Amino acid sequence: MTTKTFKRALVWFRRDLRVLDNPALSQACELSKSVVAVFVVSPVQWQKHHKSAIQIDFTRRRLLALKSELSELNIDLKVLIADDFNQQLDCVLDCVESWQIDAVFSNREYEVDEVNRDQQFLKLLRQTPAKPACYSYEERCIIPPGQIVNGSHAPYKVFTPFSKNWLKQLATMGWHCLAKPNKLAIHSNTFASAAELAEHWHCSLAAEDWPAAEGLSKDYAVATPDILAQLRTFAREQSQDYQQQRDFPALDNTSKLSPHLAIGSLSAKQCLARLCHEHGAPWELAEGPKTWLNELIWREFYCHVMVAWPHVCMNQAFNPRYQQIQWPNDSLLFDKWCQGKTGFPLVDAAMRQLNQTGWMHNRLRMIVASFLSKDLMIDWRWGEQYFMSRLIDGDLSANNGGWQWAASTGTDAAPYFRIFNPETQSKRFDGSGLFIRRFIPELADCPTALLHKAGAGGHYIAPIVDHGERRQMSLALYKDHHEQLAQAG
């Protein structure tokens, strides 16, 4: 049995809101006699990062469940409020001092602001009289950023060779999910509640005290047994058909686990382990489970890219050649796109799904992103921010990677002349019009033969642009930009 090293440890939760497969929590419990946990609500920082109201509500509800689950381990979870990352530092340092913490445990975050915050925290922690120990762990990716490189020891810019190397390394290192920690002998509230923190750090998990509307995320489970049941059901019963059915938005055949991955109520490693438990080793999977695993690898790829090229966190194009492209940026067209009133039925249905539910089918994300950047010729960053402000599964690296792919400015970028045709996409992936009619009820009686056309053959609002004309304008925009770059040398 491992000897306990620390008397009082602090686990700083971020986007890792789970008790299973949580290395920071597991190590804190293994090495400490008593553990207290903290989560810091940061409304100003969330606003800066365009965090959606539905994800905030989802986070609050998950924290309520997490608080109960931690209590069963004799760990008290304190949820405090500090507007931004600078205040977060003061808040957590106050916790360390007030509760006489001798070790701080956390899982790493990779975004630029978060990395800078953690570096500053470590510096300040070392300056305190007690100088508590500080430990951080990898948990967001199955294979941590920096470990997958090409023959020149450089990170990959292209997905396919990255995925092959990822699978090769996985075969060597294997995978193992951490179990729930054992219950501690000493309940942390025996010391955590004894010292009151400054009043402005206090926070409540009541919905009225949070910067989001109550109930927005009510359709999403937050208790660990329910989350695991959702994962098991998908892996066992639906993943086999995933490759054939994933692109059809009218079908309920996607996992809907992305919100849990975004806030960390579920880990990518748990998803991998369950998939392999049901269907075998990653390199032996049938097409359906293999295709879903590929989605997890895409998620890892974009996270690795963000770490290797952090400028993508700072509103910059991955490919510097496209940083200064002159987008026309018509704000009226953008508003129509946001509202789902472009006159293109599938585009509008997708945007209404996003606005009404906080989620959008992945195929539709590609279609509406292509439409914004190529048909409307609007800066992809406008769309990236709008998605983050609405999505329950908003994640900077995945969202940024997807948008830059659609706009042909990122890694694995589609050539700039690849432009989705909304009508063709609509016929191919919603042939019966079931999805369109679900979110655009005014088209309930529209003949299917007309449903996919811009304006639905006069049965719908007039299209705001002509796809054929805008396609040519978009091609000219990119071509002119390339010629300007060539002239500039």
Side-chain angles (χ1 to χ4, degrees):
M1 174 178 279
T2 303
T3 302
K4 301 296 184 182
T5 303
F6 303 107
K7 181 180 179 182
R8 296 174 176 176
L10 175 71
V11 176
W12 182 358
F13 280 92
R14 286 90 172 269
R15 280 172 290 186
D16 50 359
L17 306 183
R18 62 185 183 276
V19 296
L20 298 173
D21 196 39
N22 189 320
L25 177 65
S26 293
Q27 283 297 293
C29 292
E30 181 69 22
L31 300 176
S32 312
K33 293 182 179 179
S34 186
V35 175
V36 66
V38 66
F39 180 90
V40 185
V41 180
S42 298
V44 173
Q45 199 73 32
W46 288 352
Q47 184 178 25
K48 176 182 176 182
H49 290 172
H50 313 287
K51 192 179 184 73
S52 69
I54 190 171
Q55 190 176 88
I56 291 173
D57 183 64
F58 188 46
T59 300
R60 180 193 66 82
R61 292 177 54 241
R62 174 57 196 155
L63 283 167
L64 282 167
L66 180 62
K67 186 176 181 68
S68 176
E69 293 167 12
L70 288 171
S71 181
E72 295 176 359
L73 303 177
N74 272 346
I75 298 173
D76 193 24
L77 173 64
K78 300 291 187 182
V79 180
L80 308 174
I81 185 166
D83 279 343
D84 55 24
F85 280 171
N86 288 329
Q87 282 195 6
Q88 269 197 21
L89 296 177
D90 294 336
C91 178
V92 178
L93 287 168
D94 277 356
C95 292
V96 171
E97 181 178 357
S98 298
W99 300 333
Q100 299 178 6
I101 298 296
D102 50 5
V104 178
F105 295 80
S106 64
N107 293 310
R108 291 191 181 101
E109 294 187 284
Y110 301 127
E111 293 80 0
V112 167
D113 287 348
E114 285 79 351
V115 169
N116 291 337
R117 175 203 60 196
D118 287 351
Q119 291 175 346
Q120 182 66 9
F121 177 73
L122 182 58
K123 178 181 178 181
L124 294 172
L125 196 65
R126 288 171 175 169
Q127 295 173 359
T128 62
K131 294 182 174 57
C134 189
Y135 300 92
S136 62
Y137 302 89
E138 305 285 354
E139 63 80 33
R140 193 187 299 187
C141 293
I142 298 168
I143 301 179
Q147 289 190 199
I148 300 180
V149 293
N150 60 25
S152 301
H153 303 287
Y156 285 100
K157 296 182 179 181
V158 179
F159 174 75
T160 300
F162 172 90
S163 65
K164 291 179 179 178
N165 197 324
W166 188 93
L167 285 167
K168 182 179 179 180
Q169 288 204 31
L170 186 70
T172 301
M173 63 181 280
W175 61 94
H176 172 69
C177 292
L178 297 169
K180 182 170 68 172
N182 293 325
K183 184 176 182 179
L184 296 168
I186 302 174
H187 199 299
S188 60
N189 66 14
T190 59
F191 68 87
S193 59
E196 288 295 332
L197 297 178
E199 185 175 349
H200 60 280
W201 298 137
H202 287 183
C203 186
S204 165
L205 280 171
E208 60 267 19
D209 295 326
W210 275 57
E214 180 179 6
L216 287 177
S217 66
K218 60 181 174 55
D219 293 333
Y220 293 86
V222 291
T224 294
D226 295 331
I227 297 170
L228 294 179
Q230 182 181 343
L231 170 60
R232 289 165 181 160
T233 298
F234 174 79
R236 182 177 60 251
E237 301 177 8
Q238 296 176 276
S239 64
Q240 295 183 62
D241 298 324
Y242 185 74
Q243 196 273 337
Q244 294 87 2
Q245 298 184 2
R246 64 175 179 146
D247 282 322
F248 300 93
L251 301 178
D252 185 22
N253 200 51
T254 59
S255 72
K256 293 286 185 72
L257 293 170
S258 55
H260 296 291
L261 290 169
I263 70 169
S265 48
L266 189 68
S267 74
K269 193 177 292 184
Q270 286 177 285
C271 294
L272 171 67
R274 175 49 55 176
L275 190 70
C276 294
H277 175 80
E278 298 290 347
H279 302 289
W283 39 90
E284 299 173 352
L285 295 175
E287 279 304 307
K290 180 181 177 181
T291 302
W292 192 63
L293 174 61
N294 218 41
E295 295 298 320
L296 292 176
I297 303 175
W298 268 106
R299 178 179 177 274
E300 303 245 322
F301 174 65
Y302 283 137
C303 195
H304 283 233
V305 166
M306 181 179 66
V307 173
W309 292 279
H311 65 271
V312 301
C313 295
M314 298 178 280
N315 287 322
Q316 296 181 33
F318 173 83
N319 189 336
R321 299 175 63 192
Y322 294 104
Q323 181 61 23
Q324 301 301 326
I325 193 168
Q326 298 299 306
W327 309 94
N329 289 339
D330 187 321
S331 60
L332 294 179
L333 294 180
F334 178 69
D335 289 343
K336 294 293 185 182
W337 177 84
C338 292
Q339 296 166 16
K341 296 181 178 180
T342 68
F344 291 81
L346 187 61
V347 172
D348 290 352
M351 294 304 295
R352 295 185 192 189
Q353 180 185 42
L354 173 64
N355 293 333
Q356 293 172 26
T357 71
W359 185 84
M360 186 189 291
H361 188 278
N362 188 59
R363 165 60 59 173
L364 300 180
R365 297 188 197 203
M366 292 189 286
I367 294 171
V368 301
S370 174
F371 187 83
L372 182 76
S373 58
K374 302 292 179 66
D375 283 62
L376 302 186
M377 294 186 293
I378 289 173
D379 193 327
W380 57 270
R381 284 161 283 220
W382 291 28
E384 178 195 21
Q385 290 183 11
Y386 188 77
F387 265 34
M388 287 298 290
S389 73
R390 292 292 185 272
L391 285 170
I392 190 172
D393 61 359
D395 173 89
L396 191 153
S397 59
N399 188 51
N400 178 275
W403 272 97
Q404 294 222 44
W405 183 90
S408 303
T409 64
T411 62
D412 270 13
Y416 72 84
F417 48 81
R418 185 181 300 168
I419 302 173
F420 284 7
N421 183 316
E423 181 177 343
T424 301
Q425 293 287 311
S426 185
K427 289 179 179 178
R428 182 177 179 185
F429 298 112
D430 190 33
S432 67
L434 183 61
F435 178 81
I436 291 174
R437 292 187 174 95
R438 183 183 305 165
F439 286 95
I440 309 181
E442 57 266 40
L443 287 176
D445 298 325
C446 178
T448 302
L450 301 176
L451 187 64
H452 307 287
K453 297 180 179 295
H459 291 259
Y460 187 47
I461 57 177
I464 57 176
V465 294
D466 179 278
H467 171 70
E469 292 179 0
R470 300 296 287 199
R471 182 180 186 279
Q472 294 304 315
M473 292 171 63
S474 182
L475 291 172
L477 174 70
Y478 280 87
K479 182 179 179 181
D480 289 348
H481 182 72
H482 278 247
E483 291 176 352
Q484 292 172 15
L485 291 174
Q487 291 173 4

